[in-house]
């Protein structure tokens, strides 16, 4: 605990400006990157047969962290408990990295590489591709003298697999016909509704190694997660701005309140123990397609009261940070061309039924 406190103090100046360092410049970079990836996959031929749809997640990237101190190193800088990966059957874990003020910097998925035949060891850390350089600097800042190796993984490819039958989300498992080509195949740790995460060597296509599988587009992948309310990347979770509990980190099984100290813990733990969260990131449907809105565009009720802020979306689906007191009301979003769009928030089916939110 004292070590973490010392690290936080030593680098407070580095991370205190996280909002400026990781804010608008990263958002613009990621927007360009994801637009290019979307255009690439939209041009691919689609085949409507098959039990699974695979999506190439070229907007995400992987970092390999290995060495004797891997677990203790990550334990002090992520919200979740690395001890979970030592439990039987747990090989993937969701988490956030926070700044010293307790605001989200990066959303990540960590994959254990125990008992794999790829030659890699340690863990793989999934993050947005456009923040790879920033997250590498962040990791090396806190590495200090720990016995840890950190490297990028350009030779690997990341995929999402979703059952075509949405009623089969928790039952279907991909039938792999060439297991030697699979490095990781795990259920998405955030919610069963996000299907499976697959990591292969670069150049391996799931269509060729999974029975009854066809390839979808990046846009379809984003539409699915916006529809069910899963945030991913800096547009949905702006660095140095988003708060982890308002971003549903608890619901996505991405935080431990018993693990001990980590960077950004104090505010997060205090908010949790008060038991009250007044705003949440919620899926919204819009009366018309919305493109290129300013980040954190204000939402208002029909009576003109502040109701939250719109984050991001695609076509008529998106995510907004909504004041729960107004979550059941029609909300208004004023665009830069002075037109107004009506939004309706919804409570996702995968959220717990009983909460203390107000």
């Amino acid at each position: 605990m004292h070590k973490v406190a010392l690290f936080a103090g030593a680098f407070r100046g580095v991370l205190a400006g996280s909002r400026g360092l990781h804010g608008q410049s990263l958002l613009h970079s990621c927007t360009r990157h994801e637009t290019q990836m979307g255009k690439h996959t939209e041009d691919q031929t689609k085949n409507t047969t098959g039990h699974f749809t695979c999506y190439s997640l070229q907007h995400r990237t992987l970092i390999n962290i290995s060495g004797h101190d891997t677990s203790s190193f990550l334990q002090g800088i992520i919200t979740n408990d690395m001890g979970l990966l030592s439990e039987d059957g747990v090989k993937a874990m969701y988490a956030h990295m926070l700044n010293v003020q307790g605001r989200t910097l990066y959303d990540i998925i960590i994959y254990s590489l125990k008992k794999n035949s790829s030659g890699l060891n340690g863990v793989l850390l999934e993050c947005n591709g456009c923040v790879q350089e920033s997250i590498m600097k962040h990791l090396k800042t806190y590495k200090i003298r720990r016995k840890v190796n950190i490297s990028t993984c350009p030779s690997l490819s990341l995929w999402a697999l979703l059952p075509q039958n949405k009623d089969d989300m928790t039952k279907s498992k991909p039938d792999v016909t060439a297991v030697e080509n699979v490095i990781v195949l795990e259920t998405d740790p955030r919610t069963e509704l996000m299907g499976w995460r697959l990591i292969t060597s670069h150049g391996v296509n799931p269509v060729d190694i999974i029975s009854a599988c066809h390839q979808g587009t990046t846009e379809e992948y984003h539409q699915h997660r916006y529809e069910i309310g899963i945030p991913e990347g800096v547009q949905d979770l702006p660095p140095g701005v988003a708060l982890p509990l308002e971003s549903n980190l608890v619901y996505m099984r991405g935080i431990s309140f018993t693990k001990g100290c980590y960077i950004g813990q104090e505010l997060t733990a205090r908010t949790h123990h008060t038991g009250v969260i007044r705003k949440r990131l919620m899926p919204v449907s819009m009366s018309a397609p919305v493109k290129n809105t300013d980040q954190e565009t204000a939402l208002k009720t029909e009576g003109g009261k502040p109701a939250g802020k719109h984050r991001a979306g695609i076509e008529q689906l998106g995510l907004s940070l909504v004041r729960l007191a107004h979550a059941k009301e029609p909300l208004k979003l004023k665009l830069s061309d002075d037109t107004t769009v009506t939004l309706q928030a919804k409570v996702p089916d995968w959220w717990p039924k009983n909460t203390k939110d107000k």
Side-chain angles (χ1 to χ4, degrees), residues 187-231:
T187 54
D188 192 305
R190 297 169 291 186
T191 170
E192 289 82 0
L193 297 181
M194 284 299 293
W196 296 74
R197 258 354 198 218
L198 170 69
I199 300 173
T200 66
S201 297
H202 186 71
V204 175
N205 192 311
V207 172
D208 300 324
I209 64 170
I210 294 177
S211 300
C213 180
H214 79 276
Q215 188 164 350
T217 68
T218 302
E219 181 173 314
E220 292 169 347
Y221 169 79
H222 289 310
Q223 285 177 331
H224 171 73
R225 63 178 189 81
Y226 281 135
E227 182 179 7
I228 64 174
I230 293 293

Side-chain angles (χ1 to χ4, degrees), residues 319-333:
L319 287 171
S320 295
L321 185 65
V322 179
R323 292 181 182 271
L324 297 175
H326 301 299
K328 296 181 180 180
E329 304 174 31
L331 304 177
K332 301 296 183 181
L333 172 66

Side-chain angles (χ1 to χ4, degrees), residues 170-191:
T170 60
K171 300 176 183 177
S172 292
K173 181 176 181 178
D175 178 20
V176 179
T177 58
V179 293
E180 66 275 9
N181 291 318
V182 174
I183 297 170
V184 171
L185 178 59
E186 296 295 329
T187 54
D188 192 305
R190 297 169 291 186
T191 170

Side-chain angles (χ1 to χ4, degrees), residues 33 35 37 74 80 119 128 163 180 202 204 208 220 254 261 288 324 326 346 351:
H33 182 73
T35 299
M37 293 300 99
L74 290 173
N80 217 335
N128 242 51
E180 66 275 9
H202 186 71
V204 175
D208 300 324
E220 292 169 347
C261 295
L324 297 175
H326 301 299
K346 71 173 183 178
W351 281 16

